[in-house]
Amino acid sequence: MTLTRPRIVVLTGAGISAESGLPTFRDLDGLWRTYRWEELASPEGWRRHPQAVLDFYNQRRAAAWAAQPNAGHRAIAALERGFEVDVVTQNVDGLHERAGSTRVLHLHGEIEYARGTSIRRLRIHLRDQPIVLGQCCADGTQLRPDIVWFGEEVPNIGPAQRLVAMADKVLVVGTSLSVYPAAGLVHHAPPHAEKVVVALDLDTVPGDFRFLRGKAGELLPPLVAEWLHGAGA
Ligand code: NAD
């Protein structure tokens, strides 16, 4: 007899990493209040001033590498003791993996990787190292951050939609649900699924989600303990 464990999909955004010291995009100290996103996170910006784009992502890579997972990331990783867990994240910082989550689908890329600018998308692992102008991939094209920029296709959105559609529980953490197509994932949750959203603040809570207002690092450990207890784990 095979016992299948309930499936949880955790959708995360920049807020889960705020307590690790990485700024979110739209909060008061958010990155977009310092830089114009059109200049730093778009193919047009890359064409116009690649050095500024590289400087921006080189700084973010160093900050992400120096950061440590927090209690929120660790609570999500602990869910694997009782559930089939898929983390679908908009974050590029790698903190879910470092907290121990084993299945993480990245919607917007990973800051610790670079790729060439050809469509072959060859990747190299930079860890915390900067990318410099003139540094090429094996196919001879300039390296760029392996980040999905505004206006670019989101290759993992289809697989993410399929995961959400099969979930018994959907947990949304630390996203303003304002960047599409990621924000639309909540609408793929099946009617029977338990749905919870955790955030410091949220303009619009999706229809049948329960809203827990507060810090992920404080709210997730008791929620996860309750769910693991309920699952007999
Ligand atoms: P956002 O900045 O738009 O929204 C952040 C949300 O998190 C807000 O609702 C805020 O109230 C909430 N929040 C802030 N601190 C919190 C905490 N301690 N606990 C719980 N919730 C908290 O972020 P978003 O929705 O992820 O925006 C999307 C874009 O931001 C994506 O493109 C993503 O790639 C990018 N991003 C990623 C990182 C990262 O990898 N760490 C950092 C900044 C931005």
Side-chain angles (χ1 to χ4, degrees), residues 73-80 85-87 95-104:
H73 296 105
R74 288 194 295 273
I76 291 169
L79 281 169
E80 294 189 18
V85 183
D86 287 283
V87 178
L95 290 179
H96 284 299
E97 287 91 337
R98 284 163 55 196
S101 285
T102 58
R103 296 207 307 242
V104 183

mmCIF file of all heavy atoms in Angstrom, residues 73-80 85-87 95-104:
data_model
loop_
_atom_site.group_PDB
_atom_site.id
_atom_site.type_symbol
_atom_site.label_atom_id
_atom_site.label_comp_id
_atom_site.label_asym_id
_atom_site.label_seq_id
_atom_site.Cartn_x
_atom_site.Cartn_y
_atom_site.Cartn_z
ATOM 1 N N HIS A 73 12.073 30.771 6.469
ATOM 2 C CA HIS A 73 12.596 29.793 5.497
ATOM 3 C C HIS A 73 12.705 28.408 6.155
ATOM 4 O O HIS A 73 12.374 27.388 5.531
ATOM 5 C CB HIS A 73 14.009 30.179 5.034
ATOM 6 C CG HIS A 73 14.125 31.465 4.286
ATOM 7 N ND1 HIS A 73 14.648 32.602 4.846
ATOM 8 C CD2 HIS A 73 13.804 31.796 3.010
ATOM 9 C CE1 HIS A 73 14.646 33.572 3.941
ATOM 10 N NE2 HIS A 73 14.138 33.120 2.827
ATOM 11 N N ARG A 74 13.168 28.392 7.404
ATOM 12 C CA ARG A 74 13.379 27.090 8.065
ATOM 13 C C ARG A 74 12.046 26.398 8.342
ATOM 14 O O ARG A 74 11.929 25.170 8.216
ATOM 15 C CB ARG A 74 14.178 27.280 9.368
ATOM 16 C CG ARG A 74 15.645 27.614 9.117
ATOM 17 C CD ARG A 74 16.480 27.466 10.393
ATOM 18 N NE ARG A 74 16.097 28.428 11.420
ATOM 19 C CZ ARG A 74 16.586 29.660 11.522
ATOM 20 N NH1 ARG A 74 17.508 30.087 10.683
ATOM 21 N NH2 ARG A 74 16.188 30.461 12.485
ATOM 22 N N ALA A 75 11.017 27.181 8.689
ATOM 23 C CA ALA A 75 9.697 26.578 8.938
ATOM 24 C C ALA A 75 9.157 25.949 7.651
ATOM 25 O O ALA A 75 8.597 24.841 7.671
ATOM 26 C CB ALA A 75 8.728 27.643 9.463
ATOM 27 N N ILE A 76 9.345 26.628 6.534
ATOM 28 C CA ILE A 76 8.874 26.083 5.246
ATOM 29 C C ILE A 76 9.622 24.778 4.938
ATOM 30 O O ILE A 76 9.018 23.794 4.499
ATOM 31 C CB ILE A 76 9.051 27.130 4.125
ATOM 32 C CG1 ILE A 76 8.061 28.278 4.351
ATOM 33 C CG2 ILE A 76 8.873 26.502 2.751
ATOM 34 C CD1 ILE A 76 8.297 29.504 3.482
ATOM 35 N N ALA A 77 10.927 24.759 5.191
ATOM 36 C CA ALA A 77 11.700 23.531 4.953
ATOM 37 C C ALA A 77 11.195 22.397 5.852
ATOM 38 O O ALA A 77 11.120 21.236 5.420
ATOM 39 C CB ALA A 77 13.186 23.792 5.198
ATOM 40 N N ALA A 78 10.806 22.733 7.082
ATOM 41 C CA ALA A 78 10.341 21.708 8.030
ATOM 42 C C ALA A 78 9.036 21.053 7.588
ATOM 43 O O ALA A 78 8.735 19.924 7.991
ATOM 44 C CB ALA A 78 10.168 22.329 9.419
ATOM 45 N N LEU A 79 8.265 21.726 6.748
ATOM 46 C CA LEU A 79 7.001 21.136 6.261
ATOM 47 C C LEU A 79 7.243 19.790 5.582
ATOM 48 O O LEU A 79 6.351 18.937 5.525
ATOM 49 C CB LEU A 79 6.324 22.088 5.266
ATOM 50 C CG LEU A 79 5.546 23.262 5.842
ATOM 51 C CD1 LEU A 79 5.176 24.245 4.735
ATOM 52 C CD2 LEU A 79 4.286 22.771 6.558
ATOM 53 N N GLU A 80 8.462 19.582 5.054
ATOM 54 C CA GLU A 80 8.746 18.331 4.340
ATOM 55 C C GLU A 80 8.695 17.111 5.262
ATOM 56 O O GLU A 80 8.644 15.981 4.787
ATOM 57 C CB GLU A 80 10.104 18.427 3.629
ATOM 58 C CG GLU A 80 10.084 19.473 2.523
ATOM 59 C CD GLU A 80 11.339 19.473 1.631
ATOM 60 O OE1 GLU A 80 12.077 18.473 1.631
ATOM 61 O OE2 GLU A 80 11.562 20.498 0.944
ATOM 62 N N VAL A 85 6.126 18.815 -0.488
ATOM 63 C CA VAL A 85 6.198 20.277 -0.517
ATOM 64 C C VAL A 85 6.925 20.773 -1.772
ATOM 65 O O VAL A 85 8.014 20.307 -2.097
ATOM 66 C CB VAL A 85 6.960 20.825 0.720
ATOM 67 C CG1 VAL A 85 6.961 22.357 0.718
ATOM 68 C CG2 VAL A 85 6.350 20.299 2.010
ATOM 69 N N ASP A 86 6.293 21.694 -2.458
ATOM 70 C CA ASP A 86 6.967 22.415 -3.540
ATOM 71 C C ASP A 86 6.960 23.889 -3.188
ATOM 72 O O ASP A 86 5.901 24.464 -2.911
ATOM 73 C CB ASP A 86 6.236 22.202 -4.873
ATOM 74 C CG ASP A 86 6.471 20.803 -5.403
ATOM 75 O OD1 ASP A 86 7.570 20.572 -5.939
ATOM 76 O OD2 ASP A 86 5.570 19.949 -5.253
ATOM 77 N N VAL A 87 8.140 24.489 -3.210
ATOM 78 C CA VAL A 87 8.248 25.932 -3.020
ATOM 79 C C VAL A 87 8.356 26.564 -4.404
ATOM 80 O O VAL A 87 9.186 26.152 -5.213
ATOM 81 C CB VAL A 87 9.493 26.290 -2.180
ATOM 82 C CG1 VAL A 87 9.617 27.817 -2.034
ATOM 83 C CG2 VAL A 87 9.436 25.624 -0.812
ATOM 84 N N LEU A 95 17.845 31.334 -0.623
ATOM 85 C CA LEU A 95 17.754 31.071 0.816
ATOM 86 C C LEU A 95 16.857 29.874 1.145
ATOM 87 O O LEU A 95 17.044 29.231 2.180
ATOM 88 C CB LEU A 95 17.302 32.327 1.573
ATOM 89 C CG LEU A 95 18.340 33.455 1.616
ATOM 90 C CD1 LEU A 95 17.790 34.667 2.360
ATOM 91 C CD2 LEU A 95 19.638 32.988 2.254
ATOM 92 N N HIS A 96 15.869 29.567 0.309
ATOM 93 C CA HIS A 96 15.053 28.375 0.570
ATOM 94 C C HIS A 96 15.916 27.108 0.519
ATOM 95 O O HIS A 96 15.807 26.237 1.386
ATOM 96 C CB HIS A 96 13.919 28.256 -0.453
ATOM 97 C CG HIS A 96 12.791 29.199 -0.219
ATOM 98 N ND1 HIS A 96 12.031 29.181 0.935
ATOM 99 C CD2 HIS A 96 12.274 30.189 -0.986
ATOM 100 C CE1 HIS A 96 11.095 30.124 0.858
ATOM 101 N NE2 HIS A 96 11.229 30.754 -0.287
ATOM 102 N N GLU A 97 16.742 27.007 -0.492
ATOM 103 C CA GLU A 97 17.612 25.821 -0.601
ATOM 104 C C GLU A 97 18.561 25.754 0.591
ATOM 105 O O GLU A 97 18.786 24.691 1.166
ATOM 106 C CB GLU A 97 18.441 25.879 -1.890
ATOM 107 C CG GLU A 97 17.654 25.614 -3.161
ATOM 108 C CD GLU A 97 17.092 26.882 -3.794
ATOM 109 O OE1 GLU A 97 16.918 27.904 -3.067
ATOM 110 O OE2 GLU A 97 16.808 26.853 -5.007
ATOM 111 N N ARG A 98 19.092 26.923 0.975
ATOM 112 C CA ARG A 98 20.050 26.909 2.083
ATOM 113 C C ARG A 98 19.379 26.593 3.410
ATOM 114 O O ARG A 98 20.027 26.131 4.356
ATOM 115 C CB ARG A 98 20.819 28.226 2.117
ATOM 116 C CG ARG A 98 21.886 28.223 0.989
ATOM 117 C CD ARG A 98 22.413 29.581 0.684
ATOM 118 N NE ARG A 98 22.935 30.256 1.852
ATOM 119 C CZ ARG A 98 23.167 31.561 1.908
ATOM 120 N NH1 ARG A 98 22.911 32.321 0.858
ATOM 121 N NH2 ARG A 98 23.651 32.094 2.992
ATOM 122 N N ALA A 99 18.049 26.810 3.489
ATOM 123 C CA ALA A 99 17.317 26.435 4.714
ATOM 124 C C ALA A 99 16.956 24.954 4.703
ATOM 125 O O ALA A 99 16.502 24.431 5.721
ATOM 126 C CB ALA A 99 16.041 27.267 4.824
ATOM 127 N N GLY A 100 17.113 24.286 3.561
ATOM 128 C CA GLY A 100 16.842 22.846 3.518
ATOM 129 C C GLY A 100 15.675 22.427 2.646
ATOM 130 O O GLY A 100 15.379 21.236 2.550
ATOM 131 N N SER A 101 14.987 23.354 2.003
ATOM 132 C CA SER A 101 13.903 22.955 1.086
ATOM 133 C C SER A 101 14.526 22.232 -0.111
ATOM 134 O O SER A 101 15.528 22.688 -0.675
ATOM 135 C CB SER A 101 13.124 24.179 0.593
ATOM 136 O OG SER A 101 12.283 24.658 1.622
ATOM 137 N N THR A 102 13.929 21.103 -0.483
ATOM 138 C CA THR A 102 14.553 20.278 -1.530
ATOM 139 C C THR A 102 13.921 20.465 -2.902
ATOM 140 O O THR A 102 14.527 20.125 -3.904
ATOM 141 C CB THR A 102 14.516 18.779 -1.150
ATOM 142 O OG1 THR A 102 13.144 18.404 -0.956
ATOM 143 C CG2 THR A 102 15.294 18.515 0.115
ATOM 144 N N ARG A 103 12.672 20.947 -2.945
ATOM 145 C CA ARG A 103 12.053 21.177 -4.266
ATOM 146 C C ARG A 103 11.669 22.650 -4.371
ATOM 147 O O ARG A 103 10.674 23.089 -3.794
ATOM 148 C CB ARG A 103 10.818 20.294 -4.440
ATOM 149 C CG ARG A 103 11.183 18.812 -4.444
ATOM 150 C CD ARG A 103 10.204 17.960 -5.225
ATOM 151 N NE ARG A 103 8.838 18.108 -4.859
ATOM 152 C CZ ARG A 103 8.059 17.142 -4.366
ATOM 153 N NH1 ARG A 103 8.563 15.929 -4.155
ATOM 154 N NH2 ARG A 103 6.801 17.371 -4.094
ATOM 155 N N VAL A 104 12.489 23.400 -5.089
ATOM 156 C CA VAL A 104 12.275 24.845 -5.217
ATOM 157 C C VAL A 104 12.241 25.195 -6.701
ATOM 158 O O VAL A 104 13.194 24.929 -7.428
ATOM 159 C CB VAL A 104 13.404 25.646 -4.520
ATOM 160 C CG1 VAL A 104 13.108 27.141 -4.599
ATOM 161 C CG2 VAL A 104 13.570 25.208 -3.065
#
